Amino acid sequence: MTPIKGLYAVTPDLDDTERLCEIVTEAILGGATLVQYRNKQAGHVLRIAQAQALLAICRQHGVPLIINDHVKLCLALDADGVHIGGTDGDIAATRQRIGNKLLGASCYNRIDLALQAQAAGADYVAFGACFSSQTKPQAPEAALSLFNMNPALTVPKVAIGGITLDNAPQAVAAGADMLAVIGSLWGSSDIRRTAQQFSRLYNGPSSS
């Protein structure tokens, strides 16, 4: 199974597919180890086109592509996995549908949801918002103590929400196995370099 560790690049809401492919490529070249296609504004046709284009890039670079919410799209394209939120479907049922593909679950600020997700077959759980988030300003605050609160939670844990280069070391130190980043990555003037800086929090100065 793909190691779940490092920078998790979650795509922005962007209609320009060519530009989306360019920035995701830069993030991968900077060290992103997982990419999630997430576009809450895209229509059905655009969503398929963008996911297909990103899957080709991810395959080329050997990085898994996770589809946010849309299990049917994941299966239709044979993407590498799916990430579901609290209202996006039953985790156990999703696991049955996708077989051995990667399955992630948003658990917000609740350790009980994380334990339930793990028991139902999730490969990783995500806690957030760990910090104030511009992407989801109304998201509940998730304390960093969640990352090492319960030793029974053994699946990898992803930090999301307001992650920046300044506060990311706090999440890593707290026990986050991955950093899911949106604004601080795509809003950067040098996406590849920013991805490198996030990746170095796990890989050390030699990361490039």
Side-chain angles (χ1 to χ4, degrees):
M1 182 176 289
T2 302
I4 298 175
K5 184 178 181 181
L7 173 62
Y8 192 171
V10 180
T11 63
D13 292 338
L14 189 64
D15 288 343
D16 186 338
T17 302
E18 183 177 353
R19 177 58 182 160
L20 181 65
C21 290
E22 289 174 355
I23 63 175
V24 168
T25 299
E26 286 297 297
I28 291 173
L29 292 175
T33 55
L34 208 58
V35 173
Q36 181 184 133
Y37 173 60
R38 176 186 183 277
N39 189 332
K40 296 295 186 179
Q41 300 176 355
H44 180 67
V45 173
L46 179 61
R47 187 178 297 119
I48 292 173
Q50 291 190 335
Q52 284 179 326
L54 291 181
L55 184 58
I57 291 169
C58 288
R59 288 277 191 270
Q60 178 183 352
H61 294 282
V63 172
L65 177 68
I66 306 299
I67 305 296
N68 179 272
D69 293 354
H70 297 277
V71 178
K72 286 183 180 179
L73 179 59
C74 172
L75 293 173
L77 298 182
D78 193 25
D80 300 290
V82 66
H83 182 96
I84 62 175
T87 60
D88 298 322
D90 179 81
I91 294 172
T94 302
R95 165 53 69 204
Q96 197 167 27
R97 288 180 67 188
I98 69 173
N100 62 359
K101 293 181 182 295
L102 285 170
L103 175 57
S106 294
C107 298
Y108 314 106
N109 59 358
R110 293 176 54 185
I111 195 74
D112 61 319
L113 287 183
L115 291 167
Q116 291 169 22
Q118 175 178 267
D123 292 302
Y124 70 84
V125 296
F127 290 121
C130 292
F131 305 96
S132 178
S133 170
Q134 292 185 355
T135 303
K136 285 191 173 184
Q138 306 304 320
E141 181 180 346
L144 295 181
S145 58
L146 286 163
F147 291 97
N148 56 19
M149 181 179 289
N150 193 320
L153 185 63
T154 57
V155 295
K157 295 168 281 290
V158 178
I160 190 168
I163 305 289
T164 68
L165 286 170
D166 288 334
N167 61 36
Q170 298 176 47
V172 175
D177 298 287
M178 291 202 89
L179 301 170
V181 186
I182 304 176
S184 292
L185 180 61
W186 312 121
S188 168
S189 60
D190 189 335
I191 291 170
R192 188 185 306 196
R193 183 171 182 272
T194 299
Q196 289 172 344
Q197 290 174 297
F198 277 115
S199 299
R200 285 180 184 136
L201 296 172
Y202 292 98
N203 301 331
S206 62
S207 175
S208 60

